[in-house]
Amino acid sequence: MSAYLERAAQRQLERDNLYELIANFEKVHGPADPDAVAAKHARLTGDAPAAGAAA
């Protein structure tokens, strides 16, 4: 059980760090374009991109 809790805590710390990096990036560069994000997500997951999405 202890190893499970340690992994869960580590994953949460990684998420917190990622959210902080995203917030800092958006503060400097503004929010990401949702269409571009959807297109990149589609490329990474192999899903068909949404109509009109930029790559």
Side-chain angles (χ1 to χ4, degrees):
M1 185 68 159
S2 178
Y4 174 81
L5 293 176
E6 177 64 29
R7 286 192 307 271
Q10 186 62 38
R11 282 191 306 272
Q12 186 61 49
L13 288 171
E14 289 169 357
R15 284 187 192 107
D16 292 347
N17 290 339
L18 181 58
Y19 293 142
E20 184 178 341
L21 285 171
I22 291 169
N24 288 337
F25 180 88
E26 288 183 340
K27 190 184 300 183
V28 172
H29 301 284
D33 174 30
D35 289 336
V37 172
K40 300 297 185 201
H41 183 267
R43 288 183 67 189
L44 289 171
T45 62
D47 295 336

PDB file of all heavy atoms in Angstrom, residues 5-19:
ATOM      1  N   LEU A   5       0.748   4.539  -2.617  1.00  0.00           N
ATOM      2  CA  LEU A   5       0.552   5.922  -2.191  1.00  0.00           C
ATOM      3  C   LEU A   5       1.722   6.803  -2.630  1.00  0.00           C
ATOM      4  O   LEU A   5       1.518   7.956  -3.022  1.00  0.00           O
ATOM      5  CB  LEU A   5       0.369   5.992  -0.677  1.00  0.00           C
ATOM      6  CG  LEU A   5      -0.916   5.346  -0.145  1.00  0.00           C
ATOM      7  CD1 LEU A   5      -0.932   5.384   1.371  1.00  0.00           C
ATOM      8  CD2 LEU A   5      -2.140   6.039  -0.719  1.00  0.00           C
ATOM      9  N   GLU A   6       2.923   6.271  -2.588  1.00  0.00           N
ATOM     10  CA  GLU A   6       4.098   7.021  -3.039  1.00  0.00           C
ATOM     11  C   GLU A   6       3.983   7.356  -4.524  1.00  0.00           C
ATOM     12  O   GLU A   6       4.255   8.478  -4.946  1.00  0.00           O
ATOM     13  CB  GLU A   6       5.371   6.227  -2.771  1.00  0.00           C
ATOM     14  CG  GLU A   6       6.633   6.883  -3.268  1.00  0.00           C
ATOM     15  CD  GLU A   6       6.953   8.197  -2.580  1.00  0.00           C
ATOM     16  OE1 GLU A   6       6.572   8.361  -1.408  1.00  0.00           O
ATOM     17  OE2 GLU A   6       7.567   9.059  -3.230  1.00  0.00           O
ATOM     18  N   ARG A   7       3.557   6.384  -5.344  1.00  0.00           N
ATOM     19  CA  ARG A   7       3.394   6.628  -6.788  1.00  0.00           C
ATOM     20  C   ARG A   7       2.280   7.650  -7.035  1.00  0.00           C
ATOM     21  O   ARG A   7       2.414   8.511  -7.896  1.00  0.00           O
ATOM     22  CB  ARG A   7       3.120   5.328  -7.524  1.00  0.00           C
ATOM     23  CG  ARG A   7       4.344   4.441  -7.669  1.00  0.00           C
ATOM     24  CD  ARG A   7       4.134   3.286  -8.637  1.00  0.00           C
ATOM     25  NE  ARG A   7       2.955   2.481  -8.357  1.00  0.00           N
ATOM     26  CZ  ARG A   7       2.926   1.422  -7.543  1.00  0.00           C
ATOM     27  NH1 ARG A   7       4.032   1.033  -6.937  1.00  0.00           N
ATOM     28  NH2 ARG A   7       1.809   0.748  -7.355  1.00  0.00           N
ATOM     29  N   ALA A   8       1.205   7.545  -6.272  1.00  0.00           N
ATOM     30  CA  ALA A   8       0.094   8.492  -6.440  1.00  0.00           C
ATOM     31  C   ALA A   8       0.549   9.910  -6.083  1.00  0.00           C
ATOM     32  O   ALA A   8       0.212  10.873  -6.789  1.00  0.00           O
ATOM     33  CB  ALA A   8      -1.087   8.077  -5.576  1.00  0.00           C
ATOM     34  N   ALA A   9       1.298  10.046  -5.007  1.00  0.00           N
ATOM     35  CA  ALA A   9       1.801  11.354  -4.614  1.00  0.00           C
ATOM     36  C   ALA A   9       2.759  11.894  -5.671  1.00  0.00           C
ATOM     37  O   ALA A   9       2.716  13.093  -6.006  1.00  0.00           O
ATOM     38  CB  ALA A   9       2.494  11.267  -3.258  1.00  0.00           C
ATOM     39  N   GLN A  10       3.606  11.046  -6.223  1.00  0.00           N
ATOM     40  CA  GLN A  10       4.550  11.473  -7.261  1.00  0.00           C
ATOM     41  C   GLN A  10       3.814  11.942  -8.510  1.00  0.00           C
ATOM     42  O   GLN A  10       4.166  12.974  -9.097  1.00  0.00           O
ATOM     43  CB  GLN A  10       5.510  10.334  -7.612  1.00  0.00           C
ATOM     44  CG  GLN A  10       6.596  10.742  -8.567  1.00  0.00           C
ATOM     45  CD  GLN A  10       7.499  11.832  -8.021  1.00  0.00           C
ATOM     46  OE1 GLN A  10       7.818  11.845  -6.836  1.00  0.00           O
ATOM     47  NE2 GLN A  10       7.878  12.758  -8.852  1.00  0.00           N
ATOM     48  N   ARG A  11       2.782  11.217  -8.914  1.00  0.00           N
ATOM     49  CA  ARG A  11       1.993  11.625 -10.086  1.00  0.00           C
ATOM     50  C   ARG A  11       1.335  12.981  -9.841  1.00  0.00           C
ATOM     51  O   ARG A  11       1.280  13.823 -10.741  1.00  0.00           O
ATOM     52  CB  ARG A  11       0.939  10.580 -10.430  1.00  0.00           C
ATOM     53  CG  ARG A  11       1.486   9.383 -11.162  1.00  0.00           C
ATOM     54  CD  ARG A  11       0.383   8.503 -11.716  1.00  0.00           C
ATOM     55  NE  ARG A  11      -0.578   8.083 -10.718  1.00  0.00           N
ATOM     56  CZ  ARG A  11      -0.463   6.996  -9.944  1.00  0.00           C
ATOM     57  NH1 ARG A  11       0.577   6.206 -10.074  1.00  0.00           N
ATOM     58  NH2 ARG A  11      -1.383   6.692  -9.066  1.00  0.00           N
ATOM     59  N   GLN A  12       0.826  13.188  -8.633  1.00  0.00           N
ATOM     60  CA  GLN A  12       0.191  14.467  -8.324  1.00  0.00           C
ATOM     61  C   GLN A  12       1.198  15.609  -8.382  1.00  0.00           C
ATOM     62  O   GLN A  12       0.908  16.684  -8.910  1.00  0.00           O
ATOM     63  CB  GLN A  12      -0.488  14.426  -6.960  1.00  0.00           C
ATOM     64  CG  GLN A  12      -1.297  15.683  -6.661  1.00  0.00           C
ATOM     65  CD  GLN A  12      -2.410  15.902  -7.668  1.00  0.00           C
ATOM     66  OE1 GLN A  12      -3.174  14.995  -7.958  1.00  0.00           O
ATOM     67  NE2 GLN A  12      -2.500  17.096  -8.221  1.00  0.00           N
ATOM     68  N   LEU A  13       2.388  15.392  -7.854  1.00  0.00           N
ATOM     69  CA  LEU A  13       3.429  16.422  -7.932  1.00  0.00           C
ATOM     70  C   LEU A  13       3.790  16.734  -9.375  1.00  0.00           C
ATOM     71  O   LEU A  13       3.983  17.903  -9.749  1.00  0.00           O
ATOM     72  CB  LEU A  13       4.678  15.979  -7.164  1.00  0.00           C
ATOM     73  CG  LEU A  13       4.554  15.969  -5.643  1.00  0.00           C
ATOM     74  CD1 LEU A  13       5.777  15.301  -5.027  1.00  0.00           C
ATOM     75  CD2 LEU A  13       4.370  17.372  -5.120  1.00  0.00           C
ATOM     76  N   GLU A  14       3.867  15.712 -10.218  1.00  0.00           N
ATOM     77  CA  GLU A  14       4.166  15.921 -11.634  1.00  0.00           C
ATOM     78  C   GLU A  14       3.071  16.740 -12.297  1.00  0.00           C
ATOM     79  O   GLU A  14       3.356  17.644 -13.089  1.00  0.00           O
ATOM     80  CB  GLU A  14       4.343  14.582 -12.337  1.00  0.00           C
ATOM     81  CG  GLU A  14       5.612  13.862 -11.943  1.00  0.00           C
ATOM     82  CD  GLU A  14       5.668  12.423 -12.421  1.00  0.00           C
ATOM     83  OE1 GLU A  14       4.680  11.943 -13.019  1.00  0.00           O
ATOM     84  OE2 GLU A  14       6.702  11.777 -12.194  1.00  0.00           O
ATOM     85  N   ARG A  15       1.819  16.439 -11.982  1.00  0.00           N
ATOM     86  CA  ARG A  15       0.698  17.215 -12.541  1.00  0.00           C
ATOM     87  C   ARG A  15       0.759  18.659 -12.076  1.00  0.00           C
ATOM     88  O   ARG A  15       0.558  19.580 -12.863  1.00  0.00           O
ATOM     89  CB  ARG A  15      -0.636  16.594 -12.133  1.00  0.00           C
ATOM     90  CG  ARG A  15      -0.970  15.361 -12.898  1.00  0.00           C
ATOM     91  CD  ARG A  15      -2.388  14.903 -12.567  1.00  0.00           C
ATOM     92  NE  ARG A  15      -2.592  13.583 -13.075  1.00  0.00           N
ATOM     93  CZ  ARG A  15      -2.665  12.491 -12.343  1.00  0.00           C
ATOM     94  NH1 ARG A  15      -2.593  12.558 -11.034  1.00  0.00           N
ATOM     95  NH2 ARG A  15      -2.832  11.316 -12.903  1.00  0.00           N
ATOM     96  N   ASP A  16       1.013  18.850 -10.774  1.00  0.00           N
ATOM     97  CA  ASP A  16       1.109  20.211 -10.245  1.00  0.00           C
ATOM     98  C   ASP A  16       2.207  20.988 -10.962  1.00  0.00           C
ATOM     99  O   ASP A  16       2.011  22.150 -11.325  1.00  0.00           O
ATOM    100  CB  ASP A  16       1.386  20.191  -8.743  1.00  0.00           C
ATOM    101  CG  ASP A  16       0.216  19.663  -7.929  1.00  0.00           C
ATOM    102  OD1 ASP A  16      -0.905  19.544  -8.479  1.00  0.00           O
ATOM    103  OD2 ASP A  16       0.430  19.355  -6.742  1.00  0.00           O
ATOM    104  N   ASN A  17       3.357  20.361 -11.176  1.00  0.00           N
ATOM    105  CA  ASN A  17       4.459  21.014 -11.877  1.00  0.00           C
ATOM    106  C   ASN A  17       4.081  21.330 -13.317  1.00  0.00           C
ATOM    107  O   ASN A  17       4.417  22.394 -13.842  1.00  0.00           O
ATOM    108  CB  ASN A  17       5.710  20.151 -11.840  1.00  0.00           C
ATOM    109  CG  ASN A  17       6.315  20.065 -10.458  1.00  0.00           C
ATOM    110  OD1 ASN A  17       6.079  20.913  -9.599  1.00  0.00           O
ATOM    111  ND2 ASN A  17       7.098  19.022 -10.226  1.00  0.00           N
ATOM    112  N   LEU A  18       3.384  20.415 -13.975  1.00  0.00           N
ATOM    113  CA  LEU A  18       2.953  20.644 -15.346  1.00  0.00           C
ATOM    114  C   LEU A  18       1.976  21.809 -15.420  1.00  0.00           C
ATOM    115  O   LEU A  18       2.098  22.679 -16.290  1.00  0.00           O
ATOM    116  CB  LEU A  18       2.317  19.380 -15.929  1.00  0.00           C
ATOM    117  CG  LEU A  18       1.832  19.466 -17.366  1.00  0.00           C
ATOM    118  CD1 LEU A  18       2.966  19.855 -18.309  1.00  0.00           C
ATOM    119  CD2 LEU A  18       1.215  18.150 -17.790  1.00  0.00           C
ATOM    120  N   TYR A  19       1.012  21.852 -14.492  1.00  0.00           N
ATOM    121  CA  TYR A  19       0.054  22.959 -14.486  1.00  0.00           C
ATOM    122  C   TYR A  19       0.762  24.298 -14.262  1.00  0.00           C
ATOM    123  O   TYR A  19       0.403  25.306 -14.861  1.00  0.00           O
ATOM    124  CB  TYR A  19      -1.026  22.744 -13.424  1.00  0.00           C
ATOM    125  CG  TYR A  19      -1.937  21.577 -13.704  1.00  0.00           C
ATOM    126  CD1 TYR A  19      -2.383  20.770 -12.676  1.00  0.00           C
ATOM    127  CD2 TYR A  19      -2.358  21.272 -14.998  1.00  0.00           C
ATOM    128  CE1 TYR A  19      -3.219  19.696 -12.924  1.00  0.00           C
ATOM    129  CE2 TYR A  19      -3.186  20.198 -15.252  1.00  0.00           C
ATOM    130  CZ  TYR A  19      -3.622  19.416 -14.207  1.00  0.00           C
ATOM    131  OH  TYR A  19      -4.449  18.357 -14.453  1.00  0.00           O
TER     132      TYR A  19
END
